[in-house]
Amino acid sequence: MDPPGMRRVGSPLGRWLVRAPPLLWLGLFFLVPFVITLKISFSLPATAQPPYRPVLDWSDGIAGWRAFFEGLELTNYAMLAADSLYWKATLSSLAYAAGATAILVLIGTPMALAMARASVRIQPLLVALVVVPFWTSFLIRVYAWIAILKPEGLLNAALLKLGVVAQPLTILDTPLAVMIGLTYAYLPFVVLPLYAVMSRLDTTLPEAAADLGASRARIFRTVTLPLAMPGLVAGALLCFIPMVGEFIIPDLLGGSETLMLGRMLWIEFFSNRDWPIASAVAVLLLILIVVPVVLFRGAEERREEALR
Amino acid sequence: MTPFNRAALTLGLSFLYAPIVVLIVYSFNDSRLVTVWGGFSTRWYGVLFADAPLLASALVSLEVATLSAAIAAALGTLAALALDRHGRFSGRGAFTGLLYAPMVMPEVITGLSLLLLFVGLDVERGVSTIVIAHATFGTGFVAVVVGARLKGLDRSLEDAAADLGAGPLRVFCSVTLPLIAPALAAGFLLAFTLSLDDLVIASFVSGPGATTLPMRLYSQVRLGVNPEINAASTLLIAAVSLVVLGASWLSARRGVGAAV
């Protein structure tokens, strides 16, 4: 049975004609590329065009498949595992993404709460104010921080003038700059879903808690926060996943010392022209982000079961 | 609002806008240095409009954004219709995952794997491959915006048209489409802006001769802060702000709801 409001419409053929174009497009341009990436991650680099071996020859039929599977190599993954640089990059990608997500939740929750409690008349304006940076070029917003953070930049000029520091601080090209960039660039991604949840919260529940004598902090901790939890987790994942593979921020703000997988993949591909290793890094990155998504889905399902 | 709420909002919004304000203010700075105010000047805009390669890349970006947003709008609307109207069809979960995964996938993965596909198929890389890549991640965003509108739609209008003998295509074209038009426009604009903004995926799938605006800006940004880029950024920010204001005006007038 279909749930109410999900009535089926149209003939089977008509329904298929609606579904097929997006399905075929996304299958060909999103799913198939992953399979190819996985395949190339088991190949060896070659000085040829395309620069890897073996290449799967579809026209040879079964013989082609067998030759291909026999030629598969675990060399790339062995190289990644043996290279301490990649271990460090993996750990630091996770650490940057987790750290920035925690800061984002700490900054984003009070912002979203304040937006939801603002008068209904100005709420659309507040949403628009958060949306404009979200729509503004990511590259430009990250670039803007260079002028602020660099040694002869605005922040140092202000600190020197105020006498807070005697020497300009080195912030650009450090982990601190990467954290500032991640927090800044992804703030709208966490505020908007949180606001969406909080503006729909049942206001009678916190009121009831207040009538029963609970303090503001207690109401937030025991009523508002648990109700907003699904939005909070969704918003956090929405930031965490792309941040693990972030390239622009570590590249522009982190300097050459910052190790993040997104940037390593870029360097392997564009500078070292090692496509098989770049593919192996992509597979590694994919595994890192699939794990939290699966955990989240599992937790969601358990929660729904518990509510039933 | 408590004082704490007000402080959180003020600090948060200042944090969001301070770098943008700095960027805009210094695009009018006569001096090349960020810390020196050399007086108000529009000279960097003059430099910008004399920069032929940069203007050419802006045209490439506009072409890519228009084409890819049009494809994404069509595919995204079909996908939203399928999710809203087809009940629990088999493969619904996989369909949803396929639709929304490109929205959060790290760009380096999407870019690399699409490039490997294009190389495998021996497709010549250029504007068309960037259009395909951008349409792929734009589709999910359009589906979200159009889907929100479909969910709130009064279905009795469509039923009435069907009762009067209109076929499914006719019902869609003369009843559903006009009703979802504002959401479709908002989705198109979102896909357009995201395409205009993309650096990473375009860098992977582009070929010789197809340099988009973000690719051009990035190659200059790597060399350091440059007032000409501030001028270009200011123009882009102005354009985006106009689009967002236009979209929220559209949605306020037609009641689309928050179209993000």
Side-chain angles (χ1 to χ4, degrees):
Chain A
M1 270 297 283
D2 291 325
M6 294 206 2
R7 227 161 11 126
R8 283 164 191 268
V9 177
S11 63
L13 176 69
R15 287 211 296 272
W16 176 243
L17 284 177
V18 168
R19 226 179 289 159
L23 196 61
L24 291 177
W25 181 284
L26 292 169
L28 178 59
F29 295 121
F30 191 69
L31 210 55
V32 173
F34 280 133
V35 179
I36 297 176
T37 307
L38 190 65
K39 187 202 96 181
I40 291 173
S41 74
F42 290 107
S43 308
L44 283 181
T47 41
Q49 193 59 35
Y52 50 84
R53 285 276 174 274
V55 181
L56 177 55
D57 194 346
W58 305 89
S59 55
D60 278 359
I62 296 187
W65 280 92
R66 218 169 72 202
F68 167 69
F69 278 111
E70 279 164 6
L72 283 188
E73 293 280 352
L74 282 169
T75 321
N76 300 312
Y77 292 96
M79 260 171 78
L80 290 189
D83 193 340
S84 66
L85 213 57
Y86 274 97
W87 285 102
K88 282 185 196 148
T90 306
L91 289 177
S92 78
S93 296
L94 289 174
Y96 275 121
T101 304
I103 296 174
L104 278 169
V105 168
L106 284 178
I107 301 178
T109 310
M111 268 184 85
L113 200 62
M115 284 167 71
R117 287 189 185 158
S119 84
V120 182
R121 286 232 318 282
I122 67 161
Q123 281 193 22
L125 174 71
L126 294 176
V127 172
L129 280 174
V130 178
V131 170
V132 169
F134 169 82
W135 284 49
T136 303
S137 169
F138 196 88
L139 179 63
I140 288 172
R141 285 188 294 139
V142 176
Y143 159 76
W145 279 98
I146 300 178
I148 298 175
L149 298 179
K150 64 180 186 175
E152 65 279 17
L154 281 174
L155 183 63
N156 272 317
L159 291 176
L160 286 171
K161 199 158 215 172
L162 292 173
V164 180
V165 294
Q167 292 287 318
L169 301 172
T170 313
I171 307 175
L172 192 65
D173 298 342
T174 65
L176 177 63
V178 177
M179 286 302 277
I180 293 174
L182 289 172
T183 311
Y184 177 71
Y186 284 90
L187 188 57
F189 289 75
V190 75
V191 171
L192 291 173
L194 266 176
Y195 163 76
V197 174
M198 287 181 173
S199 61
R200 279 198 300 263
L201 283 188
D202 186 353
T203 52
T204 56
L205 293 173
E207 279 164 19
D211 288 346
L212 293 170
S215 67
R216 273 182 195 284
R218 180 130 187 239
I219 295 173
F220 178 75
R221 196 162 40 84
T222 55
V223 181
T224 313
L225 196 59
L227 285 173
M229 212 42 163
L232 198 62
V233 177
L237 267 184
L238 218 57
C239 299
F240 180 82
I241 295 171
M243 280 198 291
V244 176
E246 183 53 49
F247 164 73
I248 296 178
I249 294 171
D251 191 63
L252 290 183
L253 302 180
S256 54
E257 296 292 300
T258 303
L259 295 172
M260 278 184 84
L261 285 174
R263 191 158 169 271
M264 305 279 282
L265 192 159
W266 180 284
I267 291 169
E268 291 292 3
F269 183 84
F270 286 103
S271 308
N272 302 346
R273 304 207 169 271
D274 192 333
W275 293 18
I277 284 279
S279 304
V281 177
V283 173
L284 172 66
L285 200 50
L286 199 60
I287 294 169
L288 287 182
I289 59 179
V290 163
V291 172
V293 172
V294 170
L295 289 177
F296 172 65
R297 290 282 291 268
E300 279 284 280
E301 271 160 28
R302 272 196 304 281
R303 204 175 57 86
E304 276 167 24
E305 299 258 308
L307 286 176
R308 222 170 269 156
Chain B
M1 279 219 278
T2 62
F4 176 73
N5 289 151
R6 198 159 289 140
L9 210 51
T10 313
L11 285 176
L13 289 176
S14 319
F15 178 54
L16 276 180
Y17 280 90
I20 297 177
V21 170
V22 167
L23 203 69
I24 295 172
V25 168
Y26 279 91
S27 76
F28 294 105
N29 183 6
D30 195 55
S31 160
R32 196 165 250 291
L33 297 167
V34 176
T35 38
V36 180
W37 180 255
F40 180 86
S41 151
T42 52
R43 68 185 264 217
W44 302 112
Y45 291 87
V47 172
L48 176 67
F49 283 108
D51 187 340
L54 193 117
L55 294 179
S57 69
L59 280 180
V60 171
S61 271
L62 284 176
E63 185 190 351
V64 167
T66 309
L67 291 173
S68 66
I71 298 173
L75 292 172
T77 303
L78 288 174
L81 279 170
L83 288 178
D84 190 66
R85 303 290 164 87
H86 289 183
R88 287 202 170 155
F89 57 87
S90 66
R92 188 189 163 93
F95 186 83
T96 318
L98 202 54
L99 189 60
Y100 297 145
M103 296 164 64
V104 287
M105 191 57 69
E107 293 160 323
V108 284
I109 302 183
T110 314
L112 175 71
S113 56
L114 260 173
L115 169 83
L116 296 176
L117 172 81
F118 292 138
V119 170
L121 295 175
D122 209 11
V123 179
E124 199 187 326
R125 279 168 282 145
V127 169
S128 56
T129 45
I130 310 176
V131 168
I132 290 175
H134 286 180
T136 304
F137 72 70
T139 299
F141 286 96
V142 174
V144 169
V145 178
V146 173
R149 174 72 174 155
L150 279 173
K151 212 176 262 173
L153 215 59
D154 183 2
R155 295 284 281 276
S156 56
L157 292 169
E158 294 174 359
D159 292 342
D163 287 345
L164 292 171
L169 196 63
R170 179 103 194 264
V171 171
F172 178 76
C173 291
S174 50
V175 180
T176 318
L177 199 56
L179 287 173
I180 62 170
L184 193 56
F188 176 89
L189 288 177
L190 184 53
F192 185 90
T193 326
L194 288 167
S195 163
L196 213 55
D197 185 27
D198 169 64
L199 163 73
V200 175
I201 297 176
S203 302
F204 276 98
V205 300
S206 166
T211 305
T212 64
L213 184 60
M215 288 163 70
R216 171 72 54 188
L217 289 178
Y218 174 69
S219 64
Q220 296 195 12
V221 164
R222 293 214 57 160
L223 304 176
V225 174
N226 170 345
E228 189 195 340
I229 301 179
N230 288 9
S233 308
T234 302
L235 292 179
L236 273 176
I237 293 167
V240 166
S241 307
L242 281 178
V243 167
V244 173
L245 286 178
S248 59
W249 179 74
L250 262 182
S251 62
R253 209 169 61 111
R254 306 286 291 266
V256 184
V260 183

